[in-house]
Amino acid sequence: MDYTIIVLIVTIAVMYFLTIRPENKRKKKAQEMRDSLKKGDVVTSIGGIVGRIVSVGKDTIVIETSDDRVRMELTKWAVSSVGVQNSEQPEEKKEDKKSDKKEIGDGEEK
């Protein structure tokens, strides 16, 4: 009888440390990220919309999605990440890659 109680307690402890605790940490980190949103941040929504924050409210943000000044209002919980995404690169990096390709292709054979 003592053995089954110990196995039950160990099973519950393992479930807590492998599933519940990491999920709570992830939720807390996401909430902190959403609470720290500020004007000028580049964000990506859970639907994949990328834009720069124009204004921040209590539960919502307004983002500008392009140079055409298209604005959208999103709830804060719809923000999945903050910062420039991998597919977006600043202009400096794009120019550097172009110049690197030219240098490689400019070699002459003798």
Side-chain angles (χ1 to χ4, degrees):
M1 185 165 208
D2 292 329
Y3 178 74
T4 57
I5 293 173
I6 293 172
V7 170
L8 182 62
I9 292 172
V10 169
T11 304
I12 291 171
V14 168
M15 284 183 52
Y16 175 76
F17 283 106
L18 292 180
T19 58
I20 298 169
R21 188 166 183 249
E23 182 67 18
N24 288 341
K25 279 187 169 183
R26 186 189 62 77
K27 284 181 181 180
K28 184 177 180 181
K29 186 176 178 182
Q31 186 60 42
E32 288 174 357
M33 178 265 304
R34 291 177 181 132
D35 289 340
S36 69
L37 294 174
K38 61 187 181 298
K39 184 177 178 180
D41 286 346
V42 176
V43 297
T44 303
S45 74
I46 55 176
I49 299 170
V50 178
R52 185 170 307 278
I53 297 177
V54 177
S55 68
V56 179
K58 182 181 177 187
D59 295 325
T60 61
I61 59 170
V62 177
I63 64 170
E64 205 169 78
T65 59
S66 67
D67 293 333
D68 296 337
R69 299 183 57 93
V70 175
R71 293 185 177 194
M72 303 174 90
E73 185 174 10
L74 302 172
T75 56
K76 284 185 178 181
W77 63 262
V79 175
S80 66
S81 64
V82 177
V84 178
Q85 303 303 308
N86 292 338
S87 61
E88 296 179 11
Q89 295 178 350
E91 290 300 319
E92 296 172 0
K93 290 185 179 179
K94 288 181 182 178
E95 291 174 8
D96 288 344
K97 286 188 177 184
K98 290 178 184 177
S99 65
D100 290 345
K101 288 181 183 177
K102 288 179 185 177
E103 291 174 8
I104 293 171
D106 289 341
E108 294 181 29
E109 294 182 24
K110 293 184 180 180

